[in-house]
Amino acid sequence: MITPALPSSRATRVSRTKADHTSQTASCDESTTAWALAARGGDPDATDRFVRSLHRDVVRYVAHLSADPQAADDLAQDTFLRALGSLHRFEGRSSARAWLLSIARRAVIDSHRYAAARPRLSDCADWTLMAERAQPTGLPGFDDGIALLDLLDALPDERREAFVLTQLVGLPYAEAAEMSDCPVGTVRSRVARARATLVELLTEAEADIVVDAVADAVVVAERAPMAEPAAMAEPAAVAA
């Protein structure tokens, strides 16, 4: 008899959670697509709802895809300007989110091409140090977010894009495949490999933390003053 990997009750809860998430995502996509179609017809309220509902997904996607969080807001603004200018061509054949993220992808690619053609100049001797100092710190989850960005940067571009689209943005594999112009199986493979790489990197990072902690403890112990040995008691006087 084969023992199930998860207790039946837990497996049921996991299955229900995934089903609920899928249902919520589908409902959200239906709403945003309806707003996009209404915005195409000139409804200003629908346009506002369309932008607000997908702004966070676009910012997150371009930040990870470009590997430059500093440029995320500008890229997101460029994406929405392009999308609003192309709404008359949107027919709802795919979800508005997938359509918008495909525009965001092109915006990131164009940004890379522009940066390669015209490198940005800086008056600072060390512009990377200035950028790091300008970052906000001490915010809840800030260090975790930076760590995630560092780990994702280590992934190949195709795997990073597949992972971000499906695991962070929440896009279905079929739509992610359509955006990436590849089969669904390829997207699943890229996500699996990305996940394996991230787990490996996390394991290495945790091992480095343990080694550093042990090394620090050794240094502290070596620098600590040695305790003076207790004075030996004088022998008792021998009776005459």
Side-chain angles (χ1 to χ4, degrees), residues 129-210:
L129 179 60
M130 294 298 295
E132 290 175 358
R133 289 178 176 176
Q135 292 284 342
T137 57
L139 300 178
F142 177 80
D143 293 336
D144 292 340
I146 294 300
L148 176 60
L149 286 175
D150 290 340
L151 291 175
L152 289 174
D153 286 347
L155 297 175
D157 292 344
E158 293 179 345
R159 296 180 189 177
R160 181 172 68 243
E161 180 185 16
F163 186 86
V164 170
L165 283 174
T166 59
Q167 307 303 307
L168 299 182
V169 178
L171 210 62
Y173 281 90
E175 294 187 0
E178 182 181 349
M179 283 185 54
S180 304
D181 193 22
C182 65
V184 175
T186 300
V187 173
R188 293 186 182 277
S189 176
R190 290 173 180 174
V191 172
R193 293 180 180 181
R195 186 182 291 112
T197 301
L198 291 175
V199 170
E200 182 179 350
L201 292 174
L202 282 171
T203 302
E204 293 177 357
E206 291 175 354
D208 291 340
I209 291 174
V210 172

Side-chain angles (χ1 to χ4, degrees), residues 17-239:
T17 300
K18 290 183 177 179
D20 291 343
H21 177 72
T22 301
S23 177
Q24 291 175 0
T25 301
S27 177
C28 179
D29 283 342
E30 289 178 2
S31 298
T32 54
T33 301
W35 289 330
L37 291 172
R40 185 186 65 173
D43 186 341
D45 182 62
T47 302
D48 181 68
R49 289 175 177 271
F50 166 68
V51 172
R52 289 179 180 273
S53 65
L54 294 175
H55 183 268
R56 181 180 179 182
D57 285 346
V58 171
V59 171
R60 183 186 302 176
Y61 177 59
V62 297
H64 291 305
L65 190 62
S66 66
D68 184 8
Q70 296 292 322
D73 288 337
D74 290 340
L75 287 170
Q77 182 177 7
D78 183 26
T79 298
F80 280 106
L81 287 175
R82 295 185 184 199
L84 294 177
S86 303
L87 268 177
H88 62 281
R89 292 197 296 267
F90 177 66
E91 298 180 354
R93 295 178 180 176
S94 62
S95 70
R97 181 167 58 160
W99 174 74
L100 184 62
L101 292 180
S102 66
I103 295 177
R105 187 172 186 265
R106 290 195 295 271
V108 172
I109 293 174
D110 291 345
S111 175
H112 283 317
R113 290 173 177 170
Y114 178 81
R118 300 186 61 182
R120 297 172 60 183
L121 301 178
S122 174
D123 295 333
C124 303
D126 188 352
W127 65 269
T128 56
L129 179 60
M130 294 298 295
E132 290 175 358
R133 289 178 176 176
Q135 292 284 342
T137 57
L139 300 178
F142 177 80
D143 293 336
D144 292 340
I146 294 300
L148 176 60
L149 286 175
D150 290 340
L151 291 175
L152 289 174
D153 286 347
L155 297 175
D157 292 344
E158 293 179 345
R159 296 180 189 177
R160 181 172 68 243
E161 180 185 16
F163 186 86
V164 170
L165 283 174
T166 59
Q167 307 303 307
L168 299 182
V169 178
L171 210 62
Y173 281 90
E175 294 187 0
E178 182 181 349
M179 283 185 54
S180 304
D181 193 22
C182 65
V184 175
T186 300
V187 173
R188 293 186 182 277
S189 176
R190 290 173 180 174
V191 172
R193 293 180 180 181
R195 186 182 291 112
T197 301
L198 291 175
V199 170
E200 182 179 350
L201 292 174
L202 282 171
T203 302
E204 293 177 357
E206 291 175 354
D208 291 340
I209 291 174
V210 172
V211 171
D212 291 342
V214 172
D216 291 342
V218 171
V219 171
V220 171
E222 290 177 346
R223 293 180 178 177
M226 296 293 292
E228 293 292 338
M232 297 183 62
E234 295 183 359
V238 179

